[in-house]
Amino acid sequence: MNSRSLAVSISSLMSQSILLLFLLPPPENSAGIHQFQNSILPFMHLLSLSHIVSAVSLLSISRKRKRIHYSYEEFDRGSGIPRIPDSFKKFFGMKSSTFEWLCGLLDPLLDCRDPVEAPLNLPAETRLGIGLFRLATSADFPEISSRFGVSEEDSRFCVKQFCRVLCTNYRFWVGLPSQSELESVAAQFQSLTGLPNCCGILGCSRFQSGKLSVAAQIVVDSSSRILNIVAGFHGYKSDNLILRSSSLYNDMTQGSKLNSPSFPLYFVGIGDYPLLPWLISPYSDPKPGSEEEKFNSVLHRMQISWVKVDRSLRKWGILNGENGVQIEERKTMVACIGACSILHNMLLMREDYSSFCEEIDDDYHIEFESKSVSDLDGDHGAVLPRRALCSKVSACNV
């Protein structure tokens, strides 16, 4: 023991006695805890800083464990951010390390639109926490205001600004990759299924909030990463009509995408899509045991990655549709869809699966299989390419 430690340990009998009193375990009930704390506070000024630090360090484990039993005690009263790392998944849909990374990434942008006459003067972690808490839990603004110690007006502003920053400055996270990147995506699909040249699974998700229904057209790869998303369509529109209204359809028909003759790429459609040269759909009503049925089986296996994205996005409380949250403006719903999609890709990049749906129901394909359109509604120029792919699957015995 060195001289400094020895001096602290034998400081005075009076200090030692008071320190022992401080170290006594507090009562279990909340009333007893407050009475215990009030009884020792008058003596605290008699202790040196080193005594206090020593006492707190000895009590840290037991005190931290007790906080878990009280929901509001999990949050720091100053910033509204959880003290306990495990609470980040529950309240923000991500690990604490991902939260810190995202805070550093967005810090310069979260306060750039503060009103000049009345800036919010909130730290970046609080602004981020408010936005994530709304998306992850769908909490209403009175609860957010109480949780983070801000006004309802400020909480609304923080959520809106958070979604705006993601959808404006980081939309490239869900932008369609380049030709070379799509070829890499196709190689991954082929390694899993044996089917060559598929560069994504395309389908439509519909998100409900009260009477508001918003559809989003989503393309994903084999790892459930979102390659492209366009949201804002009316939910009552068919998948085919939404496709033909999208910029993706215009790009495909004009040949500005997937136009490499040496490496003809295509998407696989999950929904009521027609057969097109760049969009392969399952056969309708294939005979049992036929090549067409085996081909459809492969397509359904490939669709798993898309279904996982759909289910993962619905794990964000704001998009769940079953928690009673009311979003009246379509543009607000679109912003939430875009923000959650970008966060989905960010979390996958960081191997953070806090909000990822890794398991799906065994009968997931039935709802999509029943929506397959007749082959007669498709492009006859795509019949032969699909037949060639079907023969490829049969030859590989996939």
Side-chain angles (χ1 to χ4, degrees), residues 190-246:
Q190 184 170 5
S191 66
L192 293 174
T193 66
L195 194 65
N197 297 13
C198 173
C199 64
I201 310 298
L202 182 147
C204 274
S205 292
R206 288 167 176 79
F207 302 97
Q208 194 79 27
S209 177
K211 296 182 179 180
L212 181 64
S213 178
V214 177
Q217 180 177 276
I218 306 173
V219 181
V220 310
D221 68 8
S222 60
S223 67
S224 295
R225 177 173 61 105
I226 297 175
L227 301 178
N228 181 256
I229 181 169
V230 182
F233 305 98
H234 290 282
Y236 63 81
K237 290 187 176 181
S238 68
D239 297 345
N240 187 18
L241 185 57
I242 290 174
L243 172 66
R244 296 179 183 277
S245 302
S246 68

Side-chain angles (χ1 to χ4, degrees), residues 97-108 110 123-126 128:
S97 58
T98 303
F99 181 92
E100 293 173 1
W101 169 81
L102 190 60
C103 188
L105 184 70
L106 304 182
D107 187 1
L110 291 177
E125 63 176 6
T126 300
L128 176 60

Side-chain angles (χ1 to χ4, degrees), residues 55-284:
V56 172
S57 65
L58 288 173
L59 286 174
S60 60
I61 297 177
S62 61
R63 292 290 171 81
K64 286 180 180 179
R65 288 175 181 169
K66 292 181 183 298
R67 281 195 200 113
I68 299 176
H69 300 293
Y70 305 93
S71 60
Y72 270 85
E73 290 297 325
E74 296 180 51
F75 284 78
D76 179 82
R77 291 294 184 181
S79 64
I81 306 304
R83 297 187 180 102
I84 305 170
D86 288 345
S87 297
F88 281 78
K89 295 181 181 181
K90 179 169 64 174
F91 296 116
F92 298 147
M94 61 184 59
K95 297 178 181 177
S96 58
S97 58
T98 303
F99 181 92
E100 293 173 1
W101 169 81
L102 190 60
C103 188
L105 184 70
L106 304 182
D107 187 1
L109 301 170
L110 291 177
D111 62 353
C112 64
R113 284 178 176 257
D114 277 13
V116 177
E117 65 281 2
L120 271 60
N121 294 322
L122 293 175
E125 63 176 6
T126 300
R127 295 170 185 262
L128 176 60
I130 291 172
L132 287 173
F133 189 70
R134 169 68 170 170
L135 296 183
T137 68
S138 71
D140 58 22
F141 289 104
E143 179 181 352
I144 296 174
S145 174
S146 174
R147 178 85 65 173
F148 290 88
V150 300
S151 67
E152 290 188 32
E153 181 181 0
D154 287 350
S155 64
R156 290 178 184 274
F157 178 86
C158 288
V159 173
K160 183 177 181 179
Q161 176 64 3
F162 173 58
C163 292
R164 179 191 290 122
V165 167
L166 285 179
C167 295
T168 302
N169 299 82
Y170 296 93
R171 59 185 176 184
F172 61 86
W173 279 83
V174 290
L176 193 66
S178 64
Q179 178 80 19
S180 60
E181 291 174 314
L182 289 175
E183 292 177 9
S184 176
V185 170
Q188 294 172 1
F189 272 118
Q190 184 170 5
S191 66
L192 293 174
T193 66
L195 194 65
N197 297 13
C198 173
C199 64
I201 310 298
L202 182 147
C204 274
S205 292
R206 288 167 176 79
F207 302 97
Q208 194 79 27
S209 177
K211 296 182 179 180
L212 181 64
S213 178
V214 177
Q217 180 177 276
I218 306 173
V219 181
V220 310
D221 68 8
S222 60
S223 67
S224 295
R225 177 173 61 105
I226 297 175
L227 301 178
N228 181 256
I229 181 169
V230 182
F233 305 98
H234 290 282
Y236 63 81
K237 290 187 176 181
S238 68
D239 297 345
N240 187 18
L241 185 57
I242 290 174
L243 172 66
R244 296 179 183 277
S245 302
S246 68
S247 58
L248 180 66
Y249 181 84
N250 293 331
D251 290 339
M252 297 301 106
T253 54
Q254 293 174 9
S256 59
K257 300 287 185 181
L258 314 186
N259 58 352
S260 172
S262 60
F263 200 92
L265 299 173
Y266 57 87
F267 298 120
V268 167
I270 178 171
D272 62 342
Y273 294 112
L275 180 64
L276 299 171
W278 51 270
L279 182 61
I280 301 298
S281 58
Y283 285 95
S284 59

Side-chain angles (χ1 to χ4, degrees), residues 4 22 43 76 83 106 118 145 160 176 200-201 209 211 229 293 298 318 334 358 365 368 372 375-376 387:
R4 179 176 297 179
F22 182 71
F43 302 100
D76 179 82
R83 297 187 180 102
L106 304 182
S145 174
K160 183 177 181 179
L176 193 66
I201 310 298
S209 177
K211 296 182 179 180
I229 181 169
E293 185 182 55
V298 171
I318 200 71
V334 172
E358 299 193 54
H365 64 279
F368 298 107
S372 296
D375 297 337
L376 298 177
R387 168 50 57 188

Side-chain angles (χ1 to χ4, degrees), residues 335-355:
C336 291
I337 295 171
C340 291
S341 299
I342 293 170
L343 289 170
H344 171 87
N345 277 3
M346 287 180 167
L347 265 62
L348 283 185
M349 183 275 294
R350 290 187 55 82
E351 299 183 353
D352 183 344
Y353 303 104
S354 303
S355 298

Side-chain angles (χ1 to χ4, degrees), residues 296-313:
N296 282 5
S297 178
V298 171
L299 295 191
H300 289 319
R301 294 211 320 263
M302 296 171 71
Q303 291 169 356
I304 292 177
S305 61
W306 189 94
V307 177
K308 287 184 176 180
V309 170
D310 177 76
R311 305 290 168 82
S312 296
L313 290 178

